Amino acid sequence: MESEVRQWVRQARRIVALTGAGISTDSGIPDFRGPQGVWTKNPHAEKMSNIHYYLADREVRKASWQNRLNSPAWSAKPNPGHMALVELERRKQLHALITQNIDELHQIAGNSAELVIEVHGSMRRFMCWGCGMRGPMQKVLERVRAGEEDPACRDCGGILKSDTISFGQQLVPEVIDRAMRVAGEADLFIAIGTSLQVYPIAGAFDIARSAGAKTVIVNAEPTPYDSMADAVLGGSISSVLPSLVNSGTEPDLIRAASPNSHFRGRGSA
Ligand SMILES: [Zn+2]
């Protein structure tokens, strides 16, 4: 099965990847919903992700800012799974990268921002609920570090939050439309580390499949789409993905395959 998928990857011209939390767990960022997830362990954490509680309750916001300050994502580095998608872009095979993740590890790994479609936004930016202003999250975190418990917008006094889609908040229609459009343009659609249970974005799988794309699922746990996919691969994403992309058998080939392998090897170490 895996060697067949490797051949599809080699031959594809417009690969669209859809990534979820599973690609970042090997970078030390916990999956919020999984059995070891933050929400499963701490039900209060879910309140902080709900826009209604967040806007209504200063205590929820104070706790949220402390959470953001201490997020494991700030020190997280891309893993070989992310690097495999960079390699696909380098080979000009990657048409688009739709991600449910908010950690920006795809861009940090080296994928172009233009190719990455962030359906849930980014934790590395803040936004003002009042005036819509956006900027780098670290600027607000500096204020929290300096003692502000719930920093307000310096322009309008409004409530600040991370520029991510909280529960109870609308997705951005233009972003979702773009994700669905590129899914329909794929000749190979790979869902990676996503349970494919969050709509509407899971529907990208159907759109790609109906448009004639080969479909591959790489995920540790079963998904509702497994029976429809052309191939389903389990196991660790950070070893499966490099092996799919590099047509060899060793995950380490991602380094050997790169012309500037010395640099890349250090980056992913
Ligand atoms: Zn504002």
Side-chain angles (χ1 to χ4, degrees):
M1 178 69 91
E2 200 170 319
S3 66
E4 214 174 335
V5 178
R6 234 177 262 150
Q7 191 171 343
W8 298 344
V9 170
R10 232 185 351 257
Q11 292 169 347
R13 287 158 181 270
R14 290 184 315 281
I15 298 173
V16 172
L18 166 63
T19 64
I23 197 173
S24 290
T25 47
D26 282 344
S27 291
I29 299 177
D31 181 352
F32 282 81
R33 293 165 207 272
Q36 295 300 311
V38 176
W39 290 345
T40 320
K41 286 183 178 169
N42 174 11
H44 290 295
E46 194 163 358
K47 255 192 178 182
M48 289 185 267
S49 305
N50 183 301
I51 190 67
H52 304 295
Y53 288 113
Y54 187 85
L55 294 176
D57 189 343
R58 183 177 148 84
E59 293 304 315
V60 171
R61 294 198 295 277
K62 278 163 63 175
S64 298
W65 285 113
Q66 287 306 313
N67 251 20
R68 288 172 188 138
L69 207 54
N70 300 317
S71 167
W74 298 117
S75 54
K77 296 199 167 54
N79 63 58
H82 295 100
M83 299 315 294
L85 295 172
V86 176
E87 175 64 12
L88 289 179
E89 178 175 344
R90 195 188 65 78
R91 295 184 196 166
K92 305 199 189 314
Q93 290 180 286
L94 189 66
H95 184 54
L97 207 180
I98 307 166
T99 187
Q100 298 170 286
N101 298 339
I102 57 172
D103 53 39
E104 287 195 32
L105 287 183
H106 290 305
Q107 295 94 317
I108 293 168
N111 280 117
S112 316
E114 305 88 70
L115 288 191
V116 181
I117 303 172
E118 294 174 318
V119 295
H120 292 155
S122 167
M123 60 166 287
R124 295 178 193 267
R125 295 187 303 264
F126 75 87
M127 66 94 65
C128 170
W129 193 255
C131 69
M133 185 176 65
R134 288 171 164 80
M137 175 56 91
Q138 284 298 342
K139 294 217 160 175
V140 185
L141 291 183
E142 275 164 31
R143 293 170 61 188
V144 178
R145 269 185 222 108
E148 287 186 61
E149 292 182 307
D150 176 29
C153 176
R154 283 191 164 142
D155 275 14
C156 77
I159 291 173
L160 299 182
K161 68 183 288 291
S162 69
D163 190 11
T164 55
I165 308 291
S166 304
F167 279 83
Q169 202 179 337
Q170 296 289 325
L171 295 161
V172 181
E174 296 78 21
V175 175
I176 302 303
D177 287 351
R178 186 180 163 213
M180 296 304 170
R181 182 169 48 78
V182 296
E185 293 164 352
D187 61 358
L188 176 62
F189 183 89
I190 314 181
I192 303 159
T194 167
S195 60
L196 291 173
Q197 285 173 9
V198 179
Y199 284 86
I201 209 62
F205 183 98
D206 291 311
I207 290 178
R209 185 168 167 269
S210 311
K214 278 233 183 307
T215 51
V216 177
I217 293 172
V218 184
N219 200 46
E221 279 102 43
T223 82
Y225 286 89
D226 286 3
S227 60
M228 281 176 261
D230 293 302
V232 179
L233 302 171
S236 153
I237 290 165
S238 59
S239 60
V240 171
L241 217 50
S243 112
L244 288 184
V245 166
N246 287 281
S247 69
T249 48
E250 300 292 325
D252 273 346
L253 279 183
I254 186 166
R255 291 177 204 155
S258 161
N260 52 353
S261 58
H262 175 64
F263 182 75
R264 192 175 293 264
R266 291 210 316 197
S268 58

